Amino acid sequence: MSNKFNSSKLALIIMSALYLKGGHVHAGDLKLNAGVTSNAVFQQIESDSVGNRDLSTLTIEPNLTAVFRGANFTGSFNGTATHLERDNNDLSTKNNYAEYNYNANWAIVDRLFNLQASGNSRYLNTNTANYLVSDFLVNSEDLAETRTNRIAAVSNIAGSGLVAGTGSFSYTDVRTDETALTNTNRLNNETLAFVAALRNGDQARTYVWTLNGNYSDTDRSRVELGSFESENATGYIDKQVYRNWALRLTGQHESHTFIGNDSSLANERSFDSYGAGVTYRQSRGRSVSLTMNKASSSNAANDGDTFAGVAVEWAFTPRTQLAASFGKRFYGDSANVQFTHAAKHLRTSISYSEDVRNFSQLLADPEVLGVFVCPDGSAGIFDCFQPGSLNYIPQAGEQIVQIIDDNNAIEDSVILRKGGDLEIGYQSRKLMVAFYAKYINDNYLAQERQRETRTVGIKSSYNIGVFTSLTADLSFADIERESVTQESGTSENMKLKLGVTHKLTRRFDITSDISYTDQNGEIGSSRLGSNFTNKQISFGVSYRY
């Protein structure tokens, strides 16, 4: 696969054209919000590598948010520029960072065919050992500007007939600049992807069936890594035989191929299976299936195996749902679980998944299973809310967010990721509390290395009165890396931040916060090394136009 055009410019051109088209066909509502924040920051850093440092920093952050809502077009843009002026005992420096994100959706044929564009430019941490402890003020040399742009055509088939489903075709471009310390220009690629999901329509009576498939091709030739092709397909059909009981036929196909530029270094992981069993279906959204399956695998350890498969889809109430599947894939036993619960003030999400992807796909098209809905450009969850429905669809200018980002590497290796996530959010008129625990195991395919990241933390906000609020953010991360070709070891990271915000007027706020960062480990490679502490206090003002 080779694409010779600049996708960043293409995405912006298409978004502009969609905006003009949407505004021309139907009148809409354009809302603009702008503001500026300035902070004076004082730091004390103690490091085994560079000794002790005292720093003072002035930050200025103007921001702009634009949201357009029309009859057949919605779009949003959020941009923030950060200017830093820093002084220490030796020298003074100035740095500038610009970040943005955009989303656009044009309903060409309502509920049948949509054209979408999305993208962002962010400064991301490239050192996985410094997860949680790298930002514009600490370990800033770890940050690399990463740009993603995605264009997609999406089609939906209504479920009132015999067939219902969705399908999408997308093009994604991901590029990363070098950092101040190392050459991390390993994300410079393009991906074409096709995703389809079909199922029986509402008119089906004695048959229930689904068919899901996806295909992606990532061209990594610009960084001399060749291509990465991935294809997956799963399906089943249930035939009712007696009341709530049905016979099931099921099958799955999986193939992942990554090829070197000279076409001689090819690695493939593949797995196919077929089986039969029974299903108990109480109603739509409430079913349990058990099947016996025969495997054909590229892995000799499970090639020819006969194994049991279990699939559960159960809506206990309209606000509590469980979906789970257990079986085998090319690497052995596999599982996927998702549990969600939504009450008036409490929302819970528990998930576990296993998938083969590269980091470009994880950055450009992440699977978000968060419990909070936030406005574009929000600095954290304290400006967010919890929807009462499990099937809430974000409006223009909104996005569902996870409480904390994953520890993604900025490179384009192919990994088998096994990850579990727990998020619990509570929100009332005065109090917001969010607890999270996350586990990620990244196994690099065709490489002798893996990384485990365990994270736990809590965020909270309390409104003392109409004008004053307190915030707290505490997080811990334990990173363990095993490698034959790279340094192995662990890193234990912690970050604590306490803050207070007071509204002087409807548009003018003053803020103050203190924070403490601590790292102890063996695999740090930044200027501060792998053992350091950072004590920080800041005073700031913000104004909204």
Side-chain angles (χ1 to χ4, degrees):
M1 182 186 71
S2 178
N3 301 286
K4 302 297 184 182
F5 53 89
N6 187 314
S7 66
S8 299
K9 294 181 180 179
L10 176 64
L12 293 175
I13 291 172
I14 289 182
M15 185 178 177
S16 300
L18 292 181
Y19 170 77
L20 293 174
K21 183 68 176 177
H24 175 72
V25 176
H26 295 286
D29 179 27
L30 175 63
K31 293 183 178 180
L32 297 175
N33 293 290
V36 61
T37 299
S38 181
N39 286 278
V41 185
F42 305 94
Q43 295 173 261
Q44 289 183 340
I45 296 176
E46 298 179 4
S47 167
D48 290 349
S49 298
V50 299
N52 299 339
R53 289 182 177 183
D54 293 334
L55 300 96
S56 59
T57 306
L58 173 66
T59 70
I60 302 174
E61 299 181 9
N63 61 83
L64 173 67
T65 299
V67 178
F68 178 85
R69 295 183 178 91
N72 61 348
F73 176 85
T74 59
S76 66
F77 172 87
N78 176 262
T80 302
T82 301
H83 173 74
L84 278 69
E85 297 185 7
R86 312 196 71 180
D87 290 307
N88 59 27
N89 298 332
D90 301 322
L91 53 87
S92 299
T93 60
K94 294 182 179 180
N95 301 99
N96 295 292
Y97 305 92
E99 298 182 305
Y100 65 83
N101 65 78
Y102 66 87
N103 288 276
N105 182 80
W106 179 24
I108 299 176
V109 180
D110 187 31
R111 298 184 181 181
L112 182 61
F113 184 73
N114 290 16
L115 190 60
Q116 301 174 348
S118 62
N120 60 65
S121 176
R122 298 180 294 167
Y123 283 85
L124 300 179
N125 173 39
T126 62
N127 187 345
T128 55
N130 285 351
Y131 177 55
L132 300 182
V133 297
S134 291
D135 54 33
F136 292 150
L137 298 175
V138 181
N139 287 324
S140 59
E141 64 275 2
D142 287 340
L143 304 180
E145 184 178 5
T146 303
R147 297 172 298 279
T148 66
N149 294 283
R150 183 174 183 268
I151 305 165
V154 181
S155 179
N156 293 278
I157 303 174
S160 57
L162 294 175
V163 179
T166 62
S168 68
F169 180 80
S170 64
Y171 167 83
T172 304
D173 178 90
V174 179
R175 303 192 184 196
T176 300
D177 293 339
E178 299 179 6
T179 69
L181 288 182
T182 59
N183 178 2
T184 60
N185 193 16
R186 306 302 289 172
L187 290 183
N188 190 2
N189 56 53
E190 300 166 331
T191 299
L192 293 176
F194 174 75
V195 179
L198 297 174
R199 63 173 178 83
N200 58 279
D202 296 338
Q203 294 183 11
R205 293 294 181 263
T206 60
Y207 287 93
V208 176
W209 59 272
T210 64
L211 178 62
N212 300 308
N214 63 75
Y215 170 83
S216 65
D217 180 5
T218 301
D219 180 7
R220 306 179 297 169
S221 60
R222 289 184 291 185
V223 290
E224 300 181 355
L225 286 175
S227 64
F228 167 52
E229 293 187 53
S230 180
E231 54 189 52
N232 294 272
T234 61
Y236 69 81
I237 181 170
D238 289 340
K239 173 62 174 73
Q240 182 183 5
V241 292
Y242 179 73
R243 293 186 177 178
N244 295 331
W245 294 91
L247 294 178
R248 167 167 290 199
L249 298 178
T250 184
Q252 70 177 99
H253 165 72
E254 176 181 19
S255 176
H256 309 281
T257 307
F258 30 110
I259 307 170
N261 284 326
D262 59 2
S263 300
S264 63
L265 300 175
N267 291 276
E268 182 179 8
R269 306 290 190 272
S270 62
F271 186 86
D272 299 287
S273 70
Y274 59 90
V278 295
T279 296
Y280 174 79
R281 187 178 306 278
Q282 190 177 92
S283 61
R284 183 174 179 177
R286 292 186 174 186
S287 65
V288 179
S289 299
L290 175 64
T291 59
M292 295 302 297
N293 306 269
K294 185 72 172 180
S296 174
S297 175
S298 61
N299 182 2
N302 60 13
D303 184 33
D305 282 0
T306 299
F307 64 95
V310 179
V312 180
E313 182 181 356
W314 204 267
F316 299 95
T317 70
R319 294 175 177 267
T320 306
Q321 297 179 2
L322 171 67
S325 62
F326 305 91
K328 281 185 180 291
R329 294 175 65 179
F330 68 87
Y331 49 83
D333 294 337
S334 69
N336 283 274
V337 179
Q338 182 178 351
F339 172 82
T340 52
H341 170 74
K344 182 178 180 180
H345 297 293
L346 185 69
R347 190 177 178 96
T348 303
S349 173
I350 303 174
S351 64
Y352 175 83
S353 62
E354 301 175 351
D355 202 2
V356 177
R357 305 185 80 181
N358 61 17
F359 287 106
S360 294
Q361 295 170 335
L362 292 171
L363 292 173
D365 190 21
E367 182 181 13
V368 179
L369 301 173
V371 297
F372 287 94
V373 176
C374 302
D376 288 342
S378 61
I381 66 167
F382 304 125
D383 298 326
C384 309
F385 69 92
Q386 293 191 129
S389 169
L390 293 178
N391 302 315
Y392 180 82
I393 299 176
Q395 304 301 304
E398 295 180 345
Q399 57 181 331
I400 297 177
V401 300
Q402 296 183 145
I403 301 176
I404 191 168
D405 292 333
D406 294 337
N407 187 19
N408 289 322
I410 306 299
E411 58 185 81
D412 219 352
S413 299
V414 179
I415 61 169
L416 166 61
R417 168 165 288 188
K418 299 181 179 181
D421 185 79
L422 165 65
E423 295 192 4
I424 302 175
Y426 172 85
Q427 187 174 35
S428 63
R429 186 174 59 88
K430 286 190 173 185
L431 178 66
M432 173 187 287
V433 179
F435 172 81
Y436 58 90
K438 183 183 292 287
Y439 169 81
I440 293 178
N441 182 305
D442 290 335
N443 188 347
Y444 288 70
L445 299 185
Q447 302 180 49
E448 295 181 340
R449 59 180 174 133
Q450 70 172 5
R451 179 179 56 256
E452 289 187 354
T453 304
R454 303 173 184 87
T455 313
V456 64
I458 187 169
K459 299 174 184 281
S460 63
S461 173
Y462 181 75
N463 296 325
I464 297 177
V466 178
F467 303 107
T468 306
S469 62
L470 302 176
T471 59
D473 186 349
L474 175 63
S475 54
F476 299 89
D478 181 20
I479 302 103
E480 182 177 353
R481 187 168 69 193
E482 296 181 5
S483 176
V484 174
T485 59
Q486 298 182 0
E487 182 183 15
S488 299
T490 62
S491 181
E492 297 179 354
N493 305 337
M494 186 273 282
K495 188 171 185 179
L496 169 66
K497 184 176 182 179
L498 304 174
V500 58
T501 299
H502 181 73
K503 295 181 180 295
L504 292 178
T505 68
R506 186 170 62 91
R507 300 180 181 273
F508 191 66
D509 299 346
I510 58 173
T511 62
S512 178
D513 62 65
I514 59 174
S515 65
Y516 177 78
T517 303
D518 180 81
Q519 181 182 55
N520 290 284
E522 310 154 352
I523 51 177
S525 59
S526 301
R527 285 195 178 100
L528 296 181
S530 57
N531 294 276
F532 75 91
T533 61
N534 173 58
K535 301 172 184 176
Q536 183 174 304
I537 184 170
S538 69
F539 304 93
V541 296
S542 62
Y543 182 80
R544 295 174 297 279
Y545 296 98

